[in-house]
Amino acid sequence: EESISVSELSQAMGVKASDLIRKLMQAGKMATINAQIDADTAAFLATDFGYTVEKKGFEVEEFIPEVAEDESKLVLRPPVVTVMGHVDHGKTSLLDAIRQADVAAGEAGGITQHIGAYNVQTQHGPITFLDTPGHEAFTAMRQRGAQVTDLVVLVVAADDGVMPQTVESIKAAKAAGVTILVAINKIDKPGATPERVMQQLTEYELVAEQWGGTTIMLPVSARTKQGIPELLEYISLQSEVLELKANPEKLAAGRVIEAKLEKGRGPVATVLVEEGTLRVGDALVTGIHYGRVRAMMNERGEHVNDVPPGYPVEVLGLSGVPVAGDEFNVVEDEKSAKEVAQHRAEKARQKELGSVKKATLEDLFAKA
Ligand code: GTP
Ligand code: MG
């Protein structure tokens, strides 16, 4: 049973303790400044002094059954690899070369506007790739990308060398504690000097294996496809070492990679499933949005009914456009999803109003 002292409550509410004591006496309760009062009494006082009191709870955890991690349920999942680097160094082209499909040509202005996510079936097994834009305006996306990822492929153009977003990508990967694999791209170009890139990277404590360091650096060309098979092999070798596992039997959880409103389709979210299996019909909550998964599409536009951990997928059926980087959770039913989402929306609204008088009882207890 939660309790709060009269003095703590008075501080949290910004009301004189003597006023609270007087109010309690009027209600037939004798109390001193240090007396502990229960939640109901605190709620009564808060209401009386003009605070809105709302039901505690509606946190997403409440709707997720608590089960201890069962080691026997863990199965291998594909590695999640984020491709990062300076603008125009060839991230999207490299992914295209890996996918053998040219999406870069269709991009507005040649800049990747959004982080893209897709799974590629390679000789060594499935690998999930996240593309990030190199443009300086997209720092947050690079940081988010680094957080959800198991490995970072840092693309550095051999003719251009280490540039500001190269450095920022290194910092994001290091902050997230993620191993960096360097792809020295555009080695087909006449002015390409891979050694210069290797030399520059030593300044950021990335020393090539061939120079006695621990970082794998591969010369590649998205244009001629030189080095691509080796890159994929190193990615799978690295991920084997990491022994990436997840439980596919849980309620699904993961992260929103990108989201947009599409004509005729409504809110469309690309999500990465991190644990559990996401299924059509699942009730889902992410930030202040919720919904039932109406349909899911993989990177080839094919409908899928269930998505295991480590795979990205496009989800239809949400109430609004979620925020990229936000977590998503599957909960027991749509009603719960809606409650959590509405509770969060209300909290966000109150925070915006910024009024002390609108503090919730929950907030009062948290402050005490
Ligand atoms: P942003 O997403 O805008 O940060 O760029 P990006 O890193 O995804 O680069 P993108 O793949 O769009 O390539 C930029 C330009 O470099 C394009 O004109 C590509 O054709 C060219 N390019 C990419 N890789 C290579 C390569 O290996 N060799 C040569 N010669 N050109 C390349
Ligand atoms: Mg790109």
Side-chain angles (χ1 to χ4, degrees):
E1 182 64 62
E2 273 175 308
S3 71
I4 188 170
S5 76
V6 171
S7 79
E8 285 167 337
L9 187 64
S10 82
Q11 273 172 27
M13 282 174 38
V15 172
K16 272 191 254 158
S18 56
D19 288 344
L20 290 183
I21 292 168
R22 186 170 320 116
K23 191 51 79 181
L24 283 169
M25 281 169 70
Q26 281 166 8
K29 293 185 189 190
M30 296 302 290
T32 62
I33 190 158
N34 292 319
Q36 292 288 317
I37 53 178
D38 61 22
D40 284 345
T41 309
F44 155 76
L45 285 172
T47 317
D48 212 75
F49 283 89
Y51 283 81
T52 317
V53 177
E54 58 176 63
K55 189 170 174 287
K56 271 197 74 185
F58 294 132
E59 292 306 325
V60 68
E61 292 73 23
E62 275 188 59
F63 299 101
I64 298 171
E66 215 171 297
V67 275
E69 191 68 272
D70 184 350
E71 294 278 328
S72 70
K73 298 264 167 72
L74 297 178
V75 297
L76 283 171
R77 62 162 176 83
V80 178
V81 180
T82 300
V83 181
M84 298 178 139
H86 194 71
V87 66
D88 276 351
H89 278 198
K91 300 172 292 294
T92 305
S93 301
L94 200 64
L95 282 171
D96 288 344
I98 290 168
R99 293 199 301 163
Q100 298 289 326
D102 194 359
V103 243
E107 279 176 19
I111 290 177
T112 316
Q113 294 295 350
H114 292 285
I115 192 169
Y118 25 81
N119 187 269
V120 182
Q121 297 292 328
T122 75
Q123 238 182 303
H124 313 279
I127 303 173
T128 293
F129 286 99
L130 306 181
D131 191 7
T132 62
H135 195 274
E136 59 186 337
F138 296 102
T139 307
M141 277 197 192
R142 278 189 291 277
Q143 284 167 352
R144 263 182 247 134
Q147 276 157 17
V148 298
T149 204
D150 301 307
L151 283 175
V152 162
V153 168
L154 180 70
V155 178
V156 189
D159 59 338
D160 205 20
V162 171
M163 297 298 278
Q165 272 67 59
T166 316
V167 176
E168 204 198 272
S169 302
I170 295 170
K171 285 183 181 159
K174 287 199 167 175
V178 178
T179 302
I180 298 170
L181 233 135
V182 179
I184 304 174
N185 192 32
K186 307 198 189 185
I187 50 152
D188 60 287
K189 281 197 152 183
T193 48
E195 292 79 15
R196 187 174 67 106
V197 174
M198 287 159 69
Q199 181 57 52
Q200 289 175 330
L201 287 171
T202 58
E203 281 179 46
Y204 303 93
E205 283 144 36
L206 294 176
V207 182
E209 269 199 325
Q210 51 271 53
W211 287 3
T214 55
T215 305
I216 289 156
M217 298 195 191
L218 296 168
V220 302
S221 166
R223 184 150 297 174
T224 67
K225 316 248 189 307
Q226 187 190 330
I228 306 283
E230 289 82 357
L231 178 64
L232 293 177
E233 200 177 328
Y234 272 108
I235 290 171
S236 36
L237 281 173
Q238 286 280 338
S239 51
E240 266 171 41
V241 174
L242 296 172
E243 275 197 83
L244 306 163
K245 288 180 177 176
N247 179 355
E249 291 180 29
K250 286 181 171 178
L251 291 176
R255 248 164 228 283
V256 176
I257 304 299
E258 65 180 1
K260 55 186 179 294
L261 192 63
E262 273 186 38
K263 233 183 165 176
R265 296 173 90 201
V268 179
T270 303
V271 304
L272 173 72
V273 179
E274 293 183 310
E275 58 175 20
T277 299
L278 185 61
R279 296 190 168 85
V280 170
D282 276 352
L284 181 152
V285 57
T286 171
I288 60 166
H289 302 290
Y290 69 97
R292 192 172 280 285
V293 178
R294 194 169 74 227
M296 294 193 290
M297 256 77 64
N298 67 14
E299 52 285 317
R300 290 177 298 279
E302 299 159 344
H303 281 262
V304 285
N305 290 322
D306 28 65
V307 182
Y311 285 82
V313 74
E314 241 184 28
V315 173
L316 301 186
L318 287 170
S319 61
V321 181
V323 178
D326 269 7
E327 242 181 86
F328 79 81
N329 291 95
V330 168
V331 293
E332 54 194 11
D333 52 37
E334 203 177 350
K335 186 172 165 279
S336 314
K338 187 176 181 177
E339 277 178 353
V340 173
Q342 286 181 341
H343 174 67
R344 287 175 177 169
E346 176 63 17
K347 264 188 154 178
R349 201 182 63 83
Q350 288 183 357
K351 207 172 171 188
E352 224 164 72
L353 288 175
S355 157
V356 185
K357 284 277 181 193
K358 293 278 179 182
T360 63
L361 185 59
E362 189 182 349
D363 294 332
L364 295 182
F365 274 99
K367 271 185 218 144

